[in-house]
Structures are given as C-alpha cells and as structure tokens.
C-alpha cells in the first residue's frame, strides 16, 4: 500500500514524511506548487493495524496576518491509503 498526499506551499520548502517513525520519503516543494505525492509504506496494512503519519518541513513561515502567531509549513488537502 501507498500513502498519497496532496497539498500546497506558498513558499519554497522541503517536506519529509514518516510512517510509525520510519522515514519513507522527501519532496522539495517549489513556491506556489500544488503537489501530489505517493510513498510506499514500509509495512503491510490491513484494517486492524493502527499507525502514525508524521510530516516535517524544512522551514516554517509566519502568517501575513500580524494577529496570527502560528508557525506554518505546508497545507495538506488530502492524505489517503491507496493500493
């Protein structure tokens, strides 16, 4: 099975993807890029197995709204398991 991701980043960034703490891939994101990615999971997946997905970015950005103090990375539109 694969983990498929779709998202966007307004600025250049690097995305790292982990499944249950195991690195499964990187993707350099161009400024303004809508990305669609697919990563092979390093273990079998069935309906009874729970696992975590972690996303890391190489840098964070501040919102252009001065009242918004969040640190932002990439926007994710969807995460899915695919055959």
């Amino acid at each position: 099975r694969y983990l498929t991701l779709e998202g966007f980043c307004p600025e250049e960034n690097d995305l790292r993807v982990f499944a249950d703490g195991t690195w499964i891939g990187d993707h350099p994101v161009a400024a303004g890029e809508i990305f669609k990615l697919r990563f092979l999971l390093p273990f079998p997946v069935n309906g009874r197995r729970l696992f975590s997905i972690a996303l890391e970015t190489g840098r964070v950005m501040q919102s252009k709204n001065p009242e918004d103090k969040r640190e932002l990375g990439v926007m994710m539109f969807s995460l899915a398991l695919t055959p």
Side-chain angles (χ1 to χ4, degrees):
R1 290 244 185 194
Y2 291 86
L3 173 68
T4 58
L5 309 170
E6 184 174 354
F8 171 80
C9 191
E11 297 184 21
E12 188 173 296
N13 212 330
D14 293 304
L15 179 65
R16 288 179 296 284
V17 183
F18 299 84
D20 272 353
T22 300
W23 171 85
I24 60 172
D26 292 328
H27 179 72
V29 180
E33 175 187 9
I34 293 177
F35 54 86
K36 293 180 183 180
L37 309 173
R38 189 169 116 150
F39 299 99
L40 180 64
L41 291 170
F43 44 76
V45 176
N46 62 41
R48 297 180 183 193
R49 187 182 195 295
L50 297 177
F51 58 93
S52 65
I53 298 296
L55 306 175
E56 293 181 359
T57 58
R59 57 187 287 243
V60 294
M61 297 150 272
Q62 295 295 317
S63 169
K64 296 191 186 332
N65 178 350
E67 295 178 12
D68 186 353
K69 303 298 182 199
R70 295 175 298 157
E71 292 183 328
L72 306 171
V74 296
M75 287 186 267
M76 298 308 302
F77 302 144
S78 67
L79 287 89
L81 294 177
T82 56

